[in-house]
Amino acid sequence: MSSEESEFGIIGMAVMGQNLALNIEQSGYRVSVYNRTDSKTKDFKQKRASDRDIVATYELEEFISSLERPRKVLILVKAGKPVDMVIDQLLPLMEEGDIIIDGGNSHFQDTNRRVKKVEGEGLHYLGTGISGGEYGALHGPSIMPGGHREAYDEVSEILRSAAAQTPEGPTCKYLGPRSAGHYVKMVHNGIEYAVMQSIAEVYWAMKNLLDLSHEDMADRFEAWNQRLDAYLMEITVEILREEDEKTGRPLLEVILDTAKQKGTGKWTSQSALDLGVPVPTITAAVDARLLSARKDQRGRLDELYGELGNYETYEGFEDDLGKALYLSIVTAYAQGLDLLEEASEEYNYGLDIQDVAQIWKDGCIIRSDLLDPISESYSSEGLDTLLASEEFQDDYREAIPSLRKVVSALSKTDLICLALSASLNYFNSLTAERLPANMIQAQRDYFGAHTYQRVDEEGTFHTEWQDIKNV
Ligand SMILES: NC(=O)c1ccc[n+]([C@@H]2O[C@H](COP(=O)([O-])OP(=O)(O)OC[C@H]3O[C@@H](n4cnc5c(N)ncnc54)[C@H](OP(=O)(O)O)[C@@H]3O)[C@@H](O)[C@H]2O)c1
């Protein structure tokens, strides 16, 4: 290699691309960068990378020829069509053995399609989820790579040195072929949605039922986070303590209550439905965002119905809120991991849940001390749900009465508890030896002759529920 050549290239100089370029350079690699709009590359080089071993390029040809072979190009552009457009521009310029890494939030099926296309041209493709946002990208994200194994081996040193470092190693490990990495990142985001919604519901209950100041609520979340050490709890504490410069009020009070989404939570629910895996807390979180977006309609209906319900709490409610939140968070992970196991089977990813837990341990949005007992749980063969693990059985036994009491109390008010009640019903369903699905089967057989099975006899049965001739 010429000493002038870069060991790594990044396309896309928005927040993620800029910060990862700085991070990878900091780890000791020369990095070439390119962005569709020249001014962003120029600004970045001048303002953030003037004294760094980062080569700013302004034509794709110049970018490609600045890289040592096999070329390693990380795409960090807006997810969706832009990724295809960039790949189409790259293919004629790159050569056999070169490696394209998509580090964005791509849909896993898009990744499968792109793997085929790029590998068909003799290049390699790594669909790689990256979590940790702006801060993580700069200081050590969680990296979820999937795709061609040998291509991963070519880039692993670079990716692992840029990832967050834990006592057990970097938060980057090869996950599996094709879209395995992007699938894991999608489920990471699904869990993130569910944890965020559970926190939001507990904040709302505290605010409306306990009459606590924002500072007091921050203290409660901080205390509950002793057990979890979760990033999303940490930022909740800081958010609650933030004051609005304009009004002097808590900043949270002036933030509009309509949640946006880019689709990864919805994709998780859609994929879970396709695979027949129940993830009700994640789906509830997606629904909650959709409902929040109906701001005008909500306003009109609020006027129509006014305040409903009884806003009383009970002694111990505050303590129960903390336990209910803990359990809803554990349940979100349980659902996400269950989905990963099923997807691994269905798509032959060969996922190792312990590796996933290691990757999520630091650098990402759902990082938490929970990942240690989760990892421990999956070290035993044949575990099919966290609910059955030795590590979490006592937690469920201890906290489920609190979750029941909280959901029950909130149900008597007009406050929402979509995620908390979904977690409770998930637990109730999975731990019920008998469910009312006998009624569903009878109804299906009644109107569609779909047949049913009996509890006391092998075989398939159908009942002539009505006398068709006389109907
Ligand atoms: N932001 C986060 O916290 C975060 C966290 C994890 C993952 N991600 C994922 O990482 C990826 C990058 O995120 P980001 O927030 O840094 O950037 P972004 O806002 O998602 O995308 C902006 C970048 O995409 C480029 N772009 C858009 N359309 C293009 C096209 N047709 N051809 C070439 N380039 C195009 C833009 O170039 P121009 O400057 O020319 O417009 C710009 O560099 C996304 O997939 C995102 O979902 C983001």
Side-chain angles (χ1 to χ4, degrees):
M1 131 188 152
S2 138
S3 61
E4 298 301 312
E5 287 179 335
S6 298
E7 289 141 301
F8 202 72
I10 299 184
I11 296 182
M13 284 293 103
V15 282
M16 294 298 283
Q18 288 196 18
N19 286 349
L20 264 167
L22 292 168
N23 176 352
I24 291 172
E25 190 269 353
Q26 180 78 26
S27 307
Y29 300 95
R30 169 174 290 181
V31 182
S32 286
V33 297
Y34 170 83
N35 191 68
R36 177 182 62 173
T37 308
D38 285 0
S39 55
K40 280 205 191 136
T41 315
K42 204 167 165 197
D43 268 13
F44 168 64
K45 180 66 189 165
Q46 279 176 356
K47 294 182 183 149
R48 301 188 70 196
S50 60
D51 57 347
R52 308 287 288 267
D53 199 6
I54 290 180
V55 182
T57 66
Y58 298 95
E59 297 292 338
L60 262 185
E61 290 79 359
E62 179 196 3
F63 170 77
I64 292 296
S65 58
S66 73
L67 300 171
E68 73 171 47
R69 294 195 60 198
R71 301 182 183 94
K72 304 163 193 76
V73 173
L74 172 63
I75 304 176
L76 275 167
V77 301
K78 204 172 170 60
K81 269 226 155 350
V83 178
D84 289 309
M85 291 164 82
V86 171
I87 292 172
D88 285 342
Q89 291 160 8
L90 283 174
L91 285 179
L93 303 174
M94 294 179 83
E95 292 168 274
E96 211 172 310
D98 286 351
I99 301 161
I100 295 178
I101 309 160
D102 171 18
N105 276 335
S106 293
H107 192 286
F108 73 100
Q109 277 158 350
D110 283 338
T111 301
N112 286 334
R113 174 175 56 76
R114 290 168 186 150
V115 166
K116 266 197 192 146
K117 178 174 177 163
V118 171
E119 305 253 321
E121 302 280 328
L123 278 72
H124 298 307
Y125 195 82
L126 294 172
T128 299
I130 301 180
S131 174
E134 208 175 333
Y135 181 91
L138 187 60
H139 298 287
S142 180
I143 304 180
M144 294 154 251
H148 199 273
R149 175 76 224 207
E150 280 87 57
Y152 170 73
D153 290 340
E154 286 279 352
V155 298
S156 77
E157 202 182 293
I158 300 178
L159 296 183
R160 282 168 71 81
S161 66
Q165 308 296 318
T166 74
E168 293 77 26
T171 55
C172 169
K173 273 189 172 188
Y174 177 75
L175 285 168
R178 291 163 278 107
S179 55
H182 274 141
Y183 198 93
V184 170
K185 173 65 185 353
M186 176 188 79
V187 174
H188 164 287
N189 286 26
I191 296 172
E192 175 185 309
Y193 270 54
V195 174
M196 289 166 76
Q197 182 62 26
S198 302
I199 291 175
E201 290 174 10
V202 168
Y203 143 69
W204 204 230
M206 264 200 285
K207 180 176 160 55
N208 287 285
L209 301 179
L210 292 178
D211 202 21
L212 294 176
S213 69
H214 280 67
E215 196 56 47
D216 286 342
M217 288 191 275
D219 290 346
R220 303 301 186 276
F221 277 110
E222 195 165 39
W224 294 332
N225 197 32
Q226 299 277 319
R227 184 179 191 184
L228 287 161
D229 195 17
Y231 171 78
L232 284 167
M233 292 286 279
E234 275 169 26
I235 65 168
T236 300
V237 172
E238 288 185 24
I239 288 166
L240 283 163
R241 294 201 170 125
E242 192 75 25
E243 196 176 89
D244 177 36
E245 281 178 12
K246 286 190 190 149
T247 60
R249 293 167 61 194
L251 183 57
L252 200 51
E253 296 269 279
V254 297
I255 293 179
L256 189 72
D257 55 329
T258 59
K260 305 223 161 131
Q261 48 185 321
K262 284 190 170 173
T264 44
K266 178 185 78 178
W267 296 347
T268 310
S269 289
Q270 284 174 328
S271 176
L273 286 174
D274 286 344
L275 295 177
V277 180
V279 292
T281 313
I282 295 171
T283 305
V286 178
D287 282 340
R289 290 198 193 190
L290 296 174
L291 285 160
S292 81
R294 298 189 163 201
K295 180 76 177 164
D296 290 345
Q297 191 181 39
R298 283 163 39 211
R300 279 185 276 118
L301 291 174
D302 191 16
E303 273 182 27
L304 200 61
Y305 288 97
E307 204 163 280
L308 296 173
N310 163 10
Y311 275 70
E312 273 173 26
T313 61
Y314 56 87
E315 206 181 321
F317 179 68
E318 188 182 308
D319 192 39
D320 279 344
L321 273 180
K323 289 181 182 163
L325 175 57
Y326 173 82
L327 213 57
S328 192
I329 291 176
V330 173
T331 305
Y333 284 88
Q335 292 172 14
L337 295 174
D338 193 24
L339 175 57
L340 282 184
E341 294 251 80
E342 188 65 34
S344 182
E345 232 2 71
E346 179 70 21
Y347 303 129
N348 291 315
Y349 287 147
L351 288 178
D352 180 337
I353 299 294
Q354 281 192 290
D355 284 349
V356 174
Q358 161 61 20
I359 293 175
W360 289 349
K361 217 175 246 181
D362 202 0
C364 70
I365 307 295
I366 62 166
R367 74 156 167 75
S368 163
D369 273 1
L370 275 183
L371 270 319
D372 284 323
I374 285 175
S375 176
E376 192 57 35
S377 302
Y378 279 92
S379 65
S380 54
E381 288 283 311
L383 183 77
D384 61 353
T385 165
L386 272 191
L387 272 66
S389 75
E390 283 192 11
E391 283 75 9
F392 288 100
Q393 277 178 42
D394 287 348
D395 290 353
Y396 271 99
R397 282 200 190 93
E398 188 212 330
I400 207 73
S402 300
L403 182 57
R404 288 194 202 293
K405 282 194 269 176
V406 165
V407 169
S408 163
L410 290 175
S411 301
K412 290 179 194 156
T413 73
D414 55 5
L415 302 176
I416 63 159
C417 56
L418 278 100
L420 296 177
S421 61
S423 293
L424 176 61
N425 279 299
Y426 181 76
F427 175 86
N428 285 349
S429 300
L430 267 190
T431 56
E433 204 262 324
R434 292 211 66 180
L435 285 170
N438 49 342
M439 175 59 90
I440 308 290
Q441 283 301 86
Q443 290 166 336
R444 293 180 71 244
D445 190 55
Y446 190 112
F447 63 69
H450 293 302
T451 73
Y452 56 88
Q453 290 166 292
R454 295 179 60 97
V455 294
D456 55 357
E457 206 179 318
E458 288 282 315
T460 303
F461 299 88
H462 169 61
T463 295
E464 290 300 332
W465 298 90
Q466 50 189 338
D467 185 353
I468 299 281
K469 284 181 245 123
N470 296 330
V471 172

